[in-house]
């Protein structure tokens, strides 16, 4: 199944938005505008966008420490996200979360997470509430190849499979668990194959092909909405950048990144669209200019926004907090 | 009505009142081992009484996922000791979600924590771990000592929009007492004077309330009148009731079951110092467990168990 041309164009714009957003964030971080430990998803755009293109607006996403792309792809406000990355008072989380702990409930984005595989055990519970409401929604739990070796991955998949909950476990296998190679951290090699042990479909796909991601998640979502239970999708991709900004990447060769750039998911879809005469130079430029303008606006908004008042560190802990500890 | 039945009554009434409330945990359909959830599945069905695999991270994590998206879970931790298997979910996820997300997402979870020493439970089934959680911002924590408080606090916890841990001492499940027919809620942050007295304030929680009352009866025979104050919730803490008692008695003993070091009692001693240092006529005395894991053999376990005699000795020391 191939999506209609307008859907393809939306995926193209979606990937380009993630790419340009992340590249801008890297520049801003290097320039000292953004504090913290920054993990960007440059090179992995097809997973975020392919997954979210297969979802309904009211579906849920649980993300990871490398989560900006997921939120941008889910339709989160660039202004709110950028202001949060800056630590500004009007960031989505009022500056309390920052890069690794952002949520945007308005688009069903239930949180990036600083702990690997944490979302894998939250997801079955989101599935329980979906089932309770009979709303036909699904929830995606993103996790990385490194997270697949943590207990919560196994506990979450087991529970979702046992209770046939509408969960899609999406592994972004970018080959590196921080600085550890996949082969040196993961027994058995295939994460998709682990699904068989839990009696659910597990599919290994080219995560640099947005259409392959979209297709796999479309099928997984249909299965979840039918009440047939969870699926596991392992999307193979390549992180073009370090684990964190400033990572010297002594653990891998320059050739690997160069090879990754040759499988650039954005360029790949752009070629397809050009070959199909859906996109030409002028159109591509308009798309890019529009996204750059959105990002410029988000940066200008974040720059102009106030920092939180220091005493705001004491708010948002409880629904109400009238006592003295 | 006993303490366990009072908790069962609270669960049953809240599940009747609010269709979003559900229970999740290990062995909860049968209500094993303490009987608190017995009979709930018959009334509410297996979709609201979720008998989970032995998979604590998934139990607590999925409770959070459900709470974030509109349900009101009540987790049965089976033994509070096992919360270590879900510590990321409690300490990093549940406690921090509202705060880190800038108040966008409610997390109305109740974690029922059966805990405490007794019957040779040994090192993995006997610990008083409440101090761990007092040290985690973002969690509320209550610790009933009577059936009425158990009913009132659990009901309040379920209705609270934030995560609340209810520490249920497993030695108290068969303790009986009056529980009113009408809904008698106990608000969080409301201490209770369990016995009035003019000479010494004993601040005690859960089982130690009963040990302290026993000590108070013996001390009364010698003319020493002990006031036993039960904070009932540690977060939030009712500083005013504690301080009011100390301002009248000028002497304080703090009794708890967990280990002495870095404990809730140590923190309460600081609270008393901060509130009413100038009112104290003697240094604060503390009763707590020794700094060892809970041992198995009956004489060893008995040695590690703070008792009425320990409270009595501490009171005699502060009135000397």
């Amino acid at each position: 199944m191939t999506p209609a041309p307008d859907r393809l164009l939306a995926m193209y714009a979606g990937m380009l938005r993630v790419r340009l957003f992340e590249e801008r964030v890297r520049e801003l971080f290097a320039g000292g505008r953004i504090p913290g430990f920054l993990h960007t998803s440059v090179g992995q755009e097809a997973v975020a966008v392919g997954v979210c293109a297969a979802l309904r607006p009211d579906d849920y996403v649980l993300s990871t420490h490398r989560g900006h792309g997921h939120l941008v792809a889910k339709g989160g406000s660039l202004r709110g996200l950028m202001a949060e990355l800056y630590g500004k008072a009007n960031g989505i989380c009022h500056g309390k979360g920052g890069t690794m702990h952002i949520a945007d409930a308005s688009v069903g984005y239930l949180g990036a997470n600083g702990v690997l595989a944490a979302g894998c055990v939250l997801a079955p519970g989101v599935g329980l509430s979906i089932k309770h409401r009979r709303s036909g929604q699904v929830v995606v739990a993103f996790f990385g190849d490194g997270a697949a070796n943590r207990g919560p991955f196994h506990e979450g998949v087991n529970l979702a499979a046992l209770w046939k909950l509408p969960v899609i476990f999406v592994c972004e296998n970018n080959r590196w668990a921080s600085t550890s190679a996949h082969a040196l951290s993961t027994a058995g090699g295939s994460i998709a194959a682990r699904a068989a042990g839990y009696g659910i479909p597990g599919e290994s796909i080219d995560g640099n092909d947005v259409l392959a991601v979209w297709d796999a998640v479309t099928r997984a979502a249909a299965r979840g909405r039918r009440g047939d239970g969870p699926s596991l999708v392992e999307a193979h991709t390549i992180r073009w950048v370090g684990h964190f900004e400033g990572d010297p990447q002594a653990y891998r060769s320059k050739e690997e990144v160069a090879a990754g750039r040759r499988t650039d998911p954005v360029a790949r879809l752009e070629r397809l669209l050009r070959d199909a005469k859906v996109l030409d130079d002028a159109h591509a430029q308009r798309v890019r200019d529009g996204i750059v303008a959105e990002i410029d606006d988000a940066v200008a908004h974040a720059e102009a926004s106030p920092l939180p008042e220091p005493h705001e560190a004491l708010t948002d802990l409880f629904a109400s907090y009238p006592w003295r500890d | 009505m006993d303490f366990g039945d009072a908790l069962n009554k609270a669960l049953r009434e809240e599940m009747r009142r609010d269709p979003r409330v559900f229970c999740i945990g290990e062995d909860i359909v049968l209500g094993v081992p303490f009987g608190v959830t017995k009979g709930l599945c018959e009334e509410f069905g297996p979709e609201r009484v979720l008998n989970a695999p032995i998979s604590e991270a998934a139990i607590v994590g999925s409770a959070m996922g459900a709470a974030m998206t509109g349900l009101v879970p009540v987790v049965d931790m089976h033994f509070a000791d096992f919360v270590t298997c879900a510590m990321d979910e409690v300490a990093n996820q549940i406690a921090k979600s509202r705060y880190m997300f800038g108040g966008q997402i409610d997390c109305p979870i109740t974690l029922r924590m059966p805990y405490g020493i007794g019957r040779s439970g040994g090192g993995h089934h006997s610990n008083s771990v409440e101090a761990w959680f007092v040290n985690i911002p973002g969690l509320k924590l209550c610790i009933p000592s009577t059936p009425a408080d158990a009913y009132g606090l659990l009901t309040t916890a379920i209705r609270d929009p934030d995560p609340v841990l209810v520490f249920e001492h497993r030695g108290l499940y068969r303790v009986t007492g009056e529980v009113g027919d009408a809904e008698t809620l106990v608000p969080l942050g409301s201490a209770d004077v369990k016995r009035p007295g003019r000479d010494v304030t004993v601040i005690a929680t859960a089982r130690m309330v009963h040990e302290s009352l026993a000590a108070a009866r013996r001390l009364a025979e010698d003319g020493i009148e002990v006031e036993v104050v039960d904070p009932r919730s540690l977060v939030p803490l009712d500083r005013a009731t504690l301080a009011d008692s100390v301002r009248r008695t000028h002497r304080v003993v703090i009794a708890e079951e967990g280990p002495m070091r870095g404990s809730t009692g140590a923190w309460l001693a600081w609270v008393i110092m901060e509130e009413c240092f100038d009112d104290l006529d003697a240094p604060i005395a503390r009763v707590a467990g020794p700094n060892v894991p809970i041992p198995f053999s009956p004489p060893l376990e008995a040695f590690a168990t703070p008792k009425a005699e320990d409270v009595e000795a501490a009171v005699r020391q502060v009135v000397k």
Side-chain angles (χ1 to χ4, degrees):
Chain A
M1 191 164 62
T2 308
D6 61 324
R7 300 286 304 276
L8 290 173
L9 277 169
M11 286 188 214
Y12 169 69
M15 285 196 290
L16 194 61
R17 185 177 288 107
V18 173
R19 169 72 53 86
L20 297 178
F21 183 87
E22 292 284 57
E23 286 183 344
R24 184 72 67 88
V25 164
R26 296 183 68 208
E27 285 167 24
L28 292 164
F29 182 82
R33 306 304 300 158
I34 291 176
F37 313 144
L38 194 72
H39 309 78
T40 68
S41 62
V42 181
Q44 303 183 193
E45 298 84 356
V47 188
V49 170
V51 168
C52 292
L55 299 181
R56 298 190 334 207
D58 65 341
D59 288 333
Y60 296 106
V61 164
L62 289 153
S63 180
T64 69
H65 61 291
R66 201 178 302 287
H68 308 159
H70 305 148
L71 179 49
V72 171
K74 193 66 175 66
S77 142
L78 297 194
R79 279 186 163 206
L81 171 56
M82 190 64 88
E84 185 63 28
L85 295 179
Y86 269 72
K88 294 296 180 80
N90 55 0
I92 318 174
C93 306
H94 310 160
K96 300 259 178 43
T99 169
M100 273 190 283
H101 320 97
I102 291 180
D104 186 348
S106 70
V107 294
Y109 184 88
L110 299 176
N113 214 302
V115 178
L116 296 199
C120 292
V121 283
L122 306 185
V126 179
L128 284 173
S129 77
I130 290 169
K131 216 172 145 182
H132 174 84
R133 289 193 299 275
R134 298 186 167 80
S135 58
Q137 295 160 284
V138 296
V139 54
V140 170
F142 285 106
F143 61 103
D145 48 304
N149 297 323
R150 289 205 66 240
F153 161 72
H154 295 277
E155 291 200 28
V157 174
N158 181 61
L159 197 68
L162 189 69
W163 290 346
K164 287 194 186 309
L165 299 169
V167 181
I168 308 167
F169 294 95
V170 176
C171 177
E172 293 183 276
N173 184 343
N174 66 14
R175 307 181 183 187
W176 292 95
S178 186
T179 67
S180 296
H182 181 69
L184 296 180
S185 59
T186 305
S190 169
I191 291 161
R194 294 179 177 185
Y198 298 105
I200 63 168
E203 199 170 341
S204 176
I205 60 167
D206 179 357
N208 295 325
D209 177 356
V210 70
L211 296 179
V213 177
W214 174 84
D215 178 58
V217 175
T218 297
R219 283 182 282 110
R223 174 179 147 83
R225 296 191 213 285
R226 277 197 308 272
D228 291 345
S231 305
L232 171 60
V233 176
E234 180 182 10
H236 294 274
T237 182
I238 300 179
R239 114 163 107 70
W240 291 11
V241 293
H243 169 56
F244 56 90
E245 284 306 300
D247 176 2
Q249 301 186 66
Y251 48 85
R252 68 174 175 178
S253 68
K254 291 200 166 52
E255 289 72 41
E256 179 181 318
V257 178
R261 287 179 186 271
R262 284 196 294 279
T263 60
D264 181 349
V266 186
R268 193 161 160 181
L269 183 59
E270 183 170 336
R271 270 199 306 280
L272 191 145
L273 290 169
R274 284 175 183 272
D275 290 349
K277 311 283 183 224
V278 176
L279 190 70
D280 58 20
D281 284 346
H283 191 168
Q285 195 59 48
R286 278 202 307 279
V287 171
R288 177 175 288 264
D289 290 348
I291 292 166
V292 169
E294 278 179 69
I295 296 169
D296 286 345
D297 168 72
V299 173
H301 170 77
E303 288 281 347
S305 295
L307 286 164
E309 294 295 327
H311 63 81
E312 289 291 318
L314 299 179
T315 62
D316 294 325
L317 189 61
F318 294 115
S320 68
Y321 193 6
W323 69 88
R324 191 160 68 91
D325 282 314
Chain B
M1 182 179 290
D2 74 23
F3 191 96
D5 290 340
L7 292 164
N8 181 279
K9 173 176 153 73
L11 290 172
R12 202 178 283 278
E13 288 179 4
E14 289 311 291
M15 290 180 80
R16 284 178 189 156
R17 187 185 61 81
D18 183 348
R20 300 171 307 158
V21 178
F22 73 99
C23 294
I24 183 168
E26 296 156 12
D27 305 324
I28 62 171
V29 165
L30 293 175
V32 172
F34 304 119
V36 174
T37 54
K38 214 168 166 179
L40 296 179
C41 191
E42 283 78 353
E43 178 169 350
F44 301 102
E47 296 205 334
R48 293 182 67 196
V49 183
L50 292 165
N51 218 52
I54 299 172
S55 187
E56 288 81 4
I59 290 168
V60 177
S62 64
M64 172 169 165
M68 291 169 92
T69 50
L71 296 186
V72 180
V74 183
V75 175
D76 184 328
M77 210 62 240
H78 207 67
F79 280 83
D81 310 67
F82 305 158
V83 76
T84 50
C85 303
M87 207 58 177
D88 178 62
E89 288 68 30
V90 178
N92 263 326
Q93 311 296 336
I94 289 172
K96 295 176 184 171
S97 61
R98 179 188 290 281
Y99 184 82
M100 290 196 311
F101 303 153
Q104 287 179 79
I105 292 176
D106 283 347
C107 205
I109 296 183
T110 301
L111 291 168
R112 293 186 35 247
M113 309 286 278
Y115 83 101
I117 201 164
R119 295 170 54 203
S120 285
H124 293 165
H125 293 76
S126 304
N127 293 280
S128 297
V129 298
E130 67 274 19
W132 299 352
F133 300 95
V134 168
N135 199 241
I136 299 173
L139 301 174
K140 296 176 183 174
L141 196 158
C142 59
I143 181 162
S145 63
T146 66
D149 289 350
Y151 168 80
L153 287 169
L154 179 56
T155 304
T156 300
I158 295 170
R159 295 184 189 182
D160 197 280
D162 291 311
V164 184
L165 280 67
V166 183
F167 276 83
E168 304 167 4
H169 196 290
R170 61 184 176 81
L172 297 180
Y173 281 124
R174 302 285 80 88
V175 166
T176 56
E178 283 292 308
V179 178
D181 279 340
E183 274 182 5
T184 313
L185 270 62
V186 176
L188 300 177
S190 134
D192 190 36
V193 176
K194 296 297 186 194
R195 181 191 204 277
R198 62 169 190 269
D199 297 323
V200 178
T201 297
V202 175
I203 300 170
T205 50
R207 187 182 63 81
M208 293 313 293
V209 170
H210 300 271
E211 299 295 320
S212 300
L213 290 170
R217 286 190 291 271
R218 272 183 239 163
L219 288 156
E221 292 165 13
D222 293 343
I224 301 168
E225 289 300 329
V226 170
E227 177 148 306
V228 178
V229 184
D230 177 356
R232 299 199 289 193
S233 82
L234 294 171
V235 185
L237 179 71
D238 179 359
R239 284 174 168 248
T241 298
L242 269 51
D244 172 66
S245 175
V246 175
R247 287 192 191 109
R248 284 184 284 103
T249 62
H250 310 291
R251 290 177 164 80
V252 185
V253 170
I254 299 170
E256 64 190 315
E257 184 178 286
M260 182 68 86
R261 191 167 58 216
S263 72
T264 55
W267 167 60
L268 292 175
W270 172 78
V271 168
I272 296 301
M273 191 204 71
E274 191 182 51
E275 291 284 331
C276 32
F277 181 77
D278 290 335
D279 297 289
L280 292 173
D281 286 347
I284 296 168
R286 289 184 51 209
V287 173
N291 295 322
V292 295
I294 306 303
F296 166 74
S297 175
L300 301 178
E301 185 191 50
F303 179 86
T305 306
K307 293 174 282 293
E309 301 91 277
D310 303 311
V311 177
E312 187 183 339
V315 169
R316 291 190 190 280
Q317 181 195 321
V318 298
V319 295
K320 236 192 304 198

